Amino acid sequence: MLRAALIIARKDLRLLAGRSGGLMQALLLGLLLIFMFSLSLVPGQGMTAQGAAAVFWMSSAFCQVLIFNMLHALEEENGQILGLLLAPAPLQSIWLGKAMAGACMLFISQLVFLPAIIIFLNQQVSSLWPVGVAALVIIDAGIVAVGSLLGALARGHSAKESLFSIIIFPLLSPLFLGGIRVGAAVFSGAQADESLKWLSISLAFDAIFTAAALLLFPFAYNVDE
Amino acid sequence: MDMMTDTDMHTERGIAGRFFSLIPALALAAGLALTLSWTMIFVYAPRESSLGLPQKIFYMHMPLAWWAFCGFFVTFAASLAYLRSGKDHWDALAGAAGEVSLLLIALSIASGSIWAKASWGVWWTWDARLTTALVMCFVYAGYLIVRRLDIAPRRKAKISAVIGIAAFLDVPLVFLSARLWSYIHPPSISLEPEMKMTLTVCLVSFAFLWATLIGLRLKLELDERLLETMLADRLFGKGS
């Protein structure tokens, strides 16, 4: 399953890298959000650490909606989905492959968003950055687990971006709350007593939704319409 | 065209058919129990010393939230049953429970908001239970939007079932994270024996109302599907 997933992830990443606009569209949306939120600031003043962390995760959230819609749209034309369905690999490898490709793209996007947050929203990264990196990895894992599952559900629908967003944003709220609190601690350098609790909740989210996605993905990814 | 008899329809609906015959009795019980509970709220239960009259909202607020979450569980269980069996009535039950639960949770949020204004001086606060209720309200509103989309029925039923399961799995996580974020709800409320009795009667009366509403919505949904099938058969000449 892992080998098939790696092949699918590599195929998706190569396809998107070769198409103009793929990742750039998602990146641009995230950067635009950071810029738009910076308009709420009084000139000369910075945003609070919690506000900046919230903007970072909102940009990541909108970015991943586009990423997973793009990833699942790759096989929409000419019935190419049949190729994946007929491949001698469990259906869950498609979920895992898309999740891995999505994780790579989301991480690259966040590498761009973070300096943008520091520059535009006047933030600093404190010595708590290792906690921030751990939170980033754990929260991104949860986001891509749900994103890869729900992206398959929205596949093929004309309003897939909005459909995907209205379902995934409230579902991901436990991760976003954790990401915002840990991010605020990393930006402000304040006591991070609660960070471990937030990371535990996020890990629980990852475990529950990875298991659920493995069970539910075969029902979500089909051509019986 | 072959017309379905009542017996055919009854058999097709499985367990739902037997449940429908109980709806009139459930509705009557709901009406009587709600009358009794309202009487108890305003006549039998004592007025709370610090909050006064607004505390009476509690007797409606809590049962609304309680049965809304029970409805979310029904949606979850029916979604699992649909994915396992592929039978239409499970999908219809998941949808009916989802609709009724969204109504109840919205009413619970509204009543809680009025209560919050009276006791905390604000219409809204980011308390764990309020936040959980609001987030679940958004999740199930999205779930119901998906159920109204123009997608092939079988695919829509599968998508809805997957979302119905994922949404319920999110409930404890949303609650835990919202509690860590901010928590000001009282951990437990000490109630006088008369208050406890009144609350119990309210919970039971809302159980009848909840079951009646779900039953009626389920019957309506199955009737609608049956009519659509009959219309399609007539249009395409099947069985004629």
Side-chain angles (χ1 to χ4, degrees), chain B residues 103-121:
Chain B
L103 172 71
L104 296 187
I105 201 78
L107 288 172
S108 170
I109 289 172
S111 59
S113 186
I114 297 167
W115 192 16
K117 180 68 179 167
S119 58
W120 299 325

Side-chain angles (χ1 to χ4, degrees), chain A:
Chain A
M1 178 173 147
L2 190 62
R3 191 166 166 268
L6 282 168
I7 292 170
I8 291 168
R10 196 173 63 177
K11 181 251 326 165
D12 285 352
L13 288 172
R14 287 177 70 180
L15 276 173
L16 286 179
R19 291 181 185 185
S20 61
L23 182 59
M24 285 309 292
Q25 195 185 341
L27 271 175
L28 196 60
L29 177 68
L31 287 173
L32 272 172
L33 275 169
I34 294 169
F35 168 70
M36 297 302 277
F37 275 108
S38 71
L39 295 179
S40 67
L41 299 174
V42 176
Q45 281 187 355
M47 188 176 265
T48 60
Q50 186 164 311
V55 174
F56 174 78
W57 284 110
M58 285 309 98
S59 299
S60 302
F62 280 98
C63 182
Q64 66 91 27
V65 167
L66 287 187
I67 287 172
F68 282 103
N69 275 329
M70 280 189 290
L71 285 170
H72 281 286
L74 288 174
E75 290 89 15
E76 259 177 29
E77 288 172 9
N78 304 321
Q80 292 163 29
I81 186 176
L82 288 171
L84 276 185
L85 290 170
L86 292 172
L91 277 176
Q92 285 86 348
S93 59
I94 301 172
W95 167 79
L96 187 58
K98 300 275 179 196
M100 288 159 95
C104 290
M105 294 178 73
L106 183 61
F107 188 65
I108 292 169
S109 309
Q110 288 171 330
L111 286 180
V112 176
F113 297 157
L114 194 60
I117 293 274
I118 292 169
I119 294 165
F120 289 122
L121 303 181
N122 197 18
Q123 298 299 313
Q124 287 178 332
V125 177
S126 71
S127 58
L128 289 172
W129 66 266
V131 181
V133 173
L136 194 75
V137 171
I138 293 169
I139 292 169
D140 279 1
I143 289 175
V144 299
V146 179
S148 185
L149 173 68
L150 295 190
L153 295 182
R155 180 181 52 80
H157 196 268
S158 55
K160 58 192 172 198
E161 281 86 4
S162 57
L163 168 63
F164 192 20
S165 306
I166 57 169
I167 301 294
I168 201 168
F169 284 2
L171 274 182
L172 291 179
S173 58
L175 287 180
F176 292 144
L177 293 181
I180 291 167
R181 273 290 158 89
V182 176
V186 172
F187 284 140
S188 66
Q191 284 289 322
D193 296 342
E194 284 185 344
S195 292
L196 271 180
K197 287 181 187 169
W198 283 115
L199 293 184
S200 308
I201 290 178
S202 303
L203 272 173
F205 185 101
D206 292 0
I208 290 171
F209 277 94
T210 300
L214 284 168
L215 285 172
L216 297 173
F217 189 77
F219 297 105
Y221 204 78
N222 50 49
V223 286
D224 64 359
E225 64 266 39

Side-chain angles (χ1 to χ4, degrees), chain A residues 50 149-150 152-157 163 166-167 170-174 176-178 180-181 194 197-198 201 204-205 208-209 212 216 219-222 224-225, chain B residues 80 83-84 131 135 138-139 141-143 145-146 149-152 154-155 158-159 161-163 165-170 172-174 176-178 180-182:
Chain A
Q50 186 164 311
L149 173 68
L150 295 190
L153 295 182
R155 180 181 52 80
H157 196 268
L163 168 63
I166 57 169
I167 301 294
L171 274 182
L172 291 179
S173 58
F176 292 144
L177 293 181
I180 291 167
R181 273 290 158 89
E194 284 185 344
K197 287 181 187 169
W198 283 115
I201 290 178
F205 185 101
I208 290 171
F209 277 94
L216 297 173
F219 297 105
Y221 204 78
N222 50 49
D224 64 359
E225 64 266 39
Chain B
L80 275 176
L83 290 182
R84 197 178 151 85
T131 309
V135 171
F138 286 135
V139 172
Y143 169 76
I145 288 171
V146 169
L149 288 176
D150 189 20
I151 310 176
R154 280 186 64 81
R155 177 158 161 76
K158 279 187 182 173
I159 289 176
V162 170
I163 296 171
I165 293 166
F168 192 75
L169 293 177
D170 212 29
L173 294 163
V174 171
L176 284 174
S177 56
L180 197 54
W181 183 270
S182 163

Side-chain angles (χ1 to χ4, degrees), chain B residues 1-2 227-240:
Chain B
M1 164 185 169
D2 293 334
L227 282 173
E228 278 172 10
T229 309
M230 289 167 73
L231 184 66
D233 285 353
R234 180 164 290 189
L235 282 172
F236 297 107
K238 189 180 164 187
S240 60

